[in-house]
Amino acid sequence: MSNVLNFSGLSSQGYSKRSSGTAAIGWWSIHALTLALLVILASPTSALSANSGALIVVGALGLWRWSWAGMHLVRAVIYERMVFPRIRRRASNAPLPSHLFIIVTSYRIQPEVTYTVYQRLIEELEAVHVPATIVSCFTDPADIKLVGRLFNSANLVEGSSIIFIPQAGRGKRHALGQALRVIIERHPPPFSFVALMDGDSALGRNTLRNTCEILSSENDVGAVTTENIPLVKGSTLVREWYRLRMAQRHSTMCSMSLSRRLLVLTGRFSVFRSEIATGEDFVQAVEKDSIPHWRLGTIEMLTGDDKSTWFTVLRRGWKMLYIPDAVVHPIEELPPGGVFSATTSLMSRWFGNMVRNSARAIALGPTRCGFFTWICLVDQRLSMWTPLVGPVCALSACMISGETSYLFLYLLWVLASRTAVSIALWAVTGRFHPLFAAIIYYNQIIGAWLKLRAVFSPHRQRWTRQAIGSPAGGLHNLWSDVSSNLLRYMSIAIFVVIVSGASISLGAPN
């Protein structure tokens, strides 16, 4: 049976996995012309003599960062092509769970998307042929009729059922907490699994079987998550922005799985052992997680439920795995407001979740986290500064020398190096587009700025789809914002002085 699914209903609505070949040819032409223009404008000889100190700083930093990225790519290949096939062979005869509980959270999702998601879920349940309970968290009463009709016409195992819970706009955490408590009340039998999934993510073929078999066969693994191949509605730029993010995610997830740990259990779709997902600490972490902060007091976690579930599994000492042959198709469309506003809004939420959770995970220590995972968590705290070193050095060199050629040389380095990274990523993931190089740099620079904002203002959180955000107003919140911004700008100013000073001093003649 083919693993390629026909999403014709979504295709008619403008959702697609990849951009057209015609668009790719156009972007290839722009890429080549830009590269040629930068070669002409850079005048490398004069630029190199203008300020060798900036080259030393950028070169040393590049050696560190690209070596680190290269190590992740090598680890990803080892896991996907050598280690994971052995895991899959071990799982080939593993028993399926005694019962599957699937929680699906939806908030103002189009009927076409809801239909596709539940149709695929039910088809997967029919394929694994085990008793299942679907807990559907809905916002539109019409969804009950639509989903109920699909469920009633399905050929599911006796003992299967569906439960509808209204999601009253109090956030995904509240809905998940309600759903988990409904499952607890039903007393999950031994050797049952709980899947958490978003209502805009369609399961690929054999995704339930492939995840459950591995969770069943790997006794020290408490949770697994899957490959994401998005179906995107929008321009070529929007589609490739999502494709690149998922390609980078695939590479990182494979690399982390070599250590049998992950950095997140993605909310799009992850499967847990029921004894973990129904534990009171897990439910509390989903419903009302919080972190202490030395300056801002207790920060309640609004977003980042997938980081809360991950941290609970990590803290309890369970291993985690990424299943590259199990695919989920997130159905994506940028929030309103234009590409820049929408992408920065999404990255603010993602990076904020990372920042708010990494410190407490680091505090668990390398023994509990695993040494490589712990080092990656520490690196996340450092790498938010490194993308800004290149622009600062380039601008410093231009001001010192009075020439713009150094800036063009830096841009030439950016385009060439990010193109090389895109090619390396293609070798690992099979995904490539001429826009990848520019998007990588955009994500690095804008992402660094957003991560720094999240570090100094971790109390600021907002859902991109729901009108829920951090409280505004009041003297406490005013002081929190003022002090956060003051510390952030002071830190950036000190960073600029140090980097500029280093490039000047290293480039000074002896």
Side-chain angles (χ1 to χ4, degrees), residues 83 85-94 213 217-218 260:
V83 175
R86 294 200 296 268
I87 295 174
R88 173 56 65 202
R89 285 194 293 271
R90 287 201 300 267
S92 59
N93 296 316
E213 284 180 346
S217 64
E218 303 293 317
R260 299 176 75 84

Side-chain angles (χ1 to χ4, degrees), residues 129-140:
H129 208 63
V130 298
T133 299
I134 302 172
V135 184
S136 175
C137 304
F138 69 94
T139 50
D140 187 348

Side-chain angles (χ1 to χ4, degrees), residues 427-448:
V428 175
T429 67
R431 299 171 218 180
F432 185 82
H433 194 275
L435 271 172
F436 278 9
I439 296 173
I440 287 173
Y441 188 65
Y442 170 81
N443 287 346
Q444 287 173 335
I445 297 298
I446 301 301

